[in-house]
Amino acid sequence: MTKGEKLRSGCPVSLGLDIFGDRWTLLIIRDLMFTGKQHFREMLQSEEGISSNILADRLQLLLAEGIITKAEDPGHRQKVVYSLTEKGIDLLPILMQISHWSYKYRPVGEAYLGVPEAGNQEDQSDWGERKAVLQRQHLPSPGQEQT
């Protein structure tokens, strides 16, 4: 929460929607979590077609909320690498549940039908393993700093 931000209410659903209640924020988290995208330009290439100004705005929100971090790309000084924080990784069950709901009630595209873990609610047992993989991919090693 930013300084001076006035909350609509203390309702947990409302508080979450203050961050995730638009059509783009969870898609950015999805890209970081499941597709391996780490750079601004990679996220612009997502099939949903986010505009660069909206992407920049949502990345700033996620940074301010502590859901993602950014660091210089060691392979290219002019690029920034975005990563999930522990707070961002904790969104895994939410994205999995949304995915499960969509498999059940929405016309999921053929390209996604072969992704059983996304549509299978019984696959919750491997969430701990998935979380551990995300932690290794996104969280800094000791001595490595991110902003």
Side-chain angles (χ1 to χ4, degrees):
M1 189 167 100
T2 58
K3 288 183 181 178
E5 181 181 355
K6 184 165 175 18
L7 300 175
R8 290 182 292 192
S9 76
C11 168
V13 173
S14 178
L15 291 169
L17 289 175
D18 286 343
I19 300 169
F20 309 115
D22 67 87
R23 66 174 49 189
W24 300 112
T25 307
L26 287 176
L27 294 176
I28 294 166
I29 294 167
R30 173 210 60 192
D31 284 350
L32 289 165
M33 192 173 282
F34 298 120
T35 69
K37 295 179 181 181
Q38 298 178 303
H39 299 100
F40 189 89
R41 288 195 183 276
E42 291 174 325
M43 291 181 226
L44 280 177
Q45 301 305 313
S46 294
E47 72 179 287
E48 292 84 11
I50 190 170
S51 66
S52 61
N53 62 324
I54 298 290
L55 177 57
D57 179 70
R58 296 314 184 277
L59 288 170
Q60 285 302 320
L61 169 70
L62 292 168
L63 284 164
E65 290 292 333
I67 294 168
I68 64 171
T69 59
K70 69 178 183 177
E72 281 186 5
D73 185 333
H76 193 289
R77 288 270 194 217
Q78 295 176 330
K79 285 187 178 181
V80 171
V81 174
Y82 292 96
S83 299
L84 294 166
T85 62
E86 190 69 40
K87 191 175 180 180
I89 292 169
D90 280 345
L91 292 167
L92 173 65
I94 294 168
L95 270 68
M96 296 299 289
Q97 287 296 332
I98 291 171
S99 179
H100 175 70
W101 184 89
S102 294
Y103 269 86
K104 188 172 180 178
Y105 296 110
R106 302 287 295 161
V108 173
E110 281 190 38
Y112 300 95
L113 294 178
V115 186
E117 65 273 5
N120 186 353
Q121 190 171 23
E122 287 74 43
D123 224 2
Q124 290 180 15
S125 61
D126 81 337
W127 287 4
E129 185 178 322
R130 285 179 156 278
K131 183 176 179 177
V133 168
L134 289 169
Q135 288 168 327
R136 285 191 299 275
Q137 290 172 340
H138 290 274
L139 299 180
S141 303
Q144 179 186 4
E145 283 191 37
Q146 292 182 319
T147 56

